[in-house]
Amino acid sequence: MSFPFQSQNFLPGFAAFSLAGSNPTLSMMGQNPMATGMMMMAMMQMMSMMSQMLAQNSGQFPMSMMPGFGGMNPAQMMNGFPGSPLGSFLGSGGANPMNFPGGFQQSGYASGGVGGEIGGVSGQAGGVLAPGGKVGNIDIGRLISAVPSNLRASASKHFPVIVAEAQKQGISNKAQLAYILATATHESNAGKNMEEFDSGRRYEGRRDLGNTQSGDGSRFKGRGYVQLTGRRNYADWSRRTGMDLVGNPRQVENPAIAARILVEGMKKGTFTGKRLDQYINNQRTDFGGARRIINGTDRAGQIGSLAQKLMATMG
């Protein structure tokens, strides 16, 4: 979008002043009072013109609309409206303070977490993607190369177990497999930490986790690839596996058991009621939304970014 006075010397006393060029400075305004007044009037006219365009071309103008912000997205306001004519005028330097690292966390009960050495993976999930397609030949070496270097040793040991379990359970969508591996990488540092760092005392008395008996918080803290947490989940998987995980909760750390819990739990939605195929299927790939299978939106961007990298290694 252009303005009628682009690249024109339209104010007396302002040498080669152009709204299309570099940003005006306050030093210009001090050249003479008349010029200052005229510049202010021109700026007011420009803002009025832009307001009219916003009203007439809603949805087409580079600034997105948000109620309560005068038709302007607050994230864009903080970034100087990058990509818009006003952005060229104001400048768009500096980071957006609304982009908080890791996003807003929401605690859940499927995952206790281990403290996260996955810090080398950053960024957002990138929105909804096209379908991932079918899993072909898996090169474990390439999968391992996609994770942070400090986790590759543990990934080389545990990824083959997880991939084999996924294949056993009929996971044929490579985006689903990528997200399963990304989840295990985040939750257990690719199997490096099969037991939560925390003592588990913070889970004590959590009825939503089924922790109704004294000592349940520490006894049923996060374990395995998905960091299974709470008496309720341990009892549920005791029924599913036919093993006494309540009486011997550390069995969840066994890679074969942990892989079954990870894959089947995500596939059937046993953790939060959300299933893998609700977000990743043959129509779409929503790595960001898929975090709800495990733990709300906690670290959704980081895990989604890693899932994209893993999927890219599958060809």
Side-chain angles (χ1 to χ4, degrees):
M1 186 176 85
S2 61
F3 291 92
F5 34 71
Q6 282 185 336
S7 303
Q8 296 177 14
N9 298 341
F10 67 99
L11 294 181
F14 286 77
F17 177 76
S18 169
L19 287 178
S22 59
N23 292 356
T25 63
L26 292 176
S27 61
M28 293 181 184
M29 297 183 66
Q31 293 189 21
N32 63 65
M34 180 176 295
T36 300
M38 293 180 67
M39 179 178 180
M40 294 303 295
M41 290 178 63
M43 290 177 67
M44 291 176 65
Q45 290 175 351
M46 180 182 73
M47 295 304 292
S48 175
M49 183 186 306
M50 292 175 69
S51 296
Q52 293 175 12
M53 290 180 177
L54 278 170
Q56 296 171 3
N57 300 288
S58 178
Q60 300 177 11
F61 199 71
M63 292 188 294
S64 61
M65 307 293 285
M66 179 174 284
F69 288 91
M72 300 178 186
N73 185 316
Q76 290 178 316
M77 292 173 70
M78 291 185 175
N79 272 336
F81 309 102
S84 71
L86 185 58
S88 300
F89 181 73
L90 295 176
S92 57
N96 184 346
M98 297 187 73
N99 293 331
F100 295 98
F104 295 97
Q105 298 187 14
Q106 174 182 336
S107 62
Y109 63 81
S111 161
V114 295
E117 293 189 26
I118 193 175
V121 178
S122 61
Q124 298 303 310
V128 179
L129 308 174
K134 288 190 177 296
V135 175
N137 293 326
I138 297 296
D139 185 334
I140 295 294
R142 293 191 67 198
L143 286 172
I144 293 167
S145 70
V147 306
S149 59
N150 63 315
L151 300 181
R152 287 174 188 166
S154 54
S156 66
K157 176 182 177 181
H158 295 278
F159 273 15
V161 180
I162 296 170
V163 170
E165 182 63 31
Q167 291 174 333
K168 179 181 176 182
Q169 294 197 34
I171 298 295
S172 60
N173 182 309
K174 65 183 178 183
Q176 289 187 354
L177 177 58
Y179 196 76
I180 288 169
L181 291 168
T183 296
T185 302
H186 170 73
E187 295 295 341
S188 66
N189 288 322
K192 183 177 181 179
N193 305 104
M194 296 291 270
E195 181 181 43
E196 185 177 359
F197 294 148
D198 191 89
S199 68
R201 292 176 183 171
R202 61 194 175 111
Y203 305 125
E204 192 70 10
R206 286 274 302 273
R207 291 186 173 274
D208 59 321
L209 296 173
N211 290 343
T212 57
Q213 299 180 28
S214 177
D216 278 357
S218 296
R219 185 174 182 79
F220 302 113
K221 66 178 182 176
R223 292 186 177 90
Y225 294 129
V226 78
Q227 294 295 288
L228 192 72
T229 308
R231 176 182 284 272
R232 177 174 296 159
N233 278 316
Y234 279 74
D236 178 43
W237 282 98
S238 291
R239 290 189 296 270
R240 292 176 186 275
T241 62
M243 305 177 69
D244 185 10
L245 303 180
V246 173
N248 187 6
R250 298 207 65 169
Q251 289 185 92
V252 175
E253 298 173 42
N254 180 296
I257 298 171
R260 178 177 172 184
I261 292 172
L262 167 71
V263 177
E264 186 176 326
M266 294 181 71
K267 185 178 176 181
K268 294 185 176 179
T270 70
F271 306 125
T272 65
K274 303 293 185 182
R275 303 184 317 276
L276 188 61
D277 64 3
Q278 289 179 257
Y279 302 96
I280 304 172
N281 49 52
N282 293 329
Q283 284 73 49
R284 63 173 187 157
T285 298
D286 182 3
F287 285 142
R291 181 58 178 159
R292 292 179 173 84
I293 301 165
I294 305 296
N295 197 10
T297 56
D298 171 50
R299 307 298 180 189
Q302 287 186 347
I303 301 166
S305 292
L306 178 56
Q308 288 186 35
K309 292 179 181 179
L310 288 162
M311 185 170 68
T313 71
M314 299 181 202

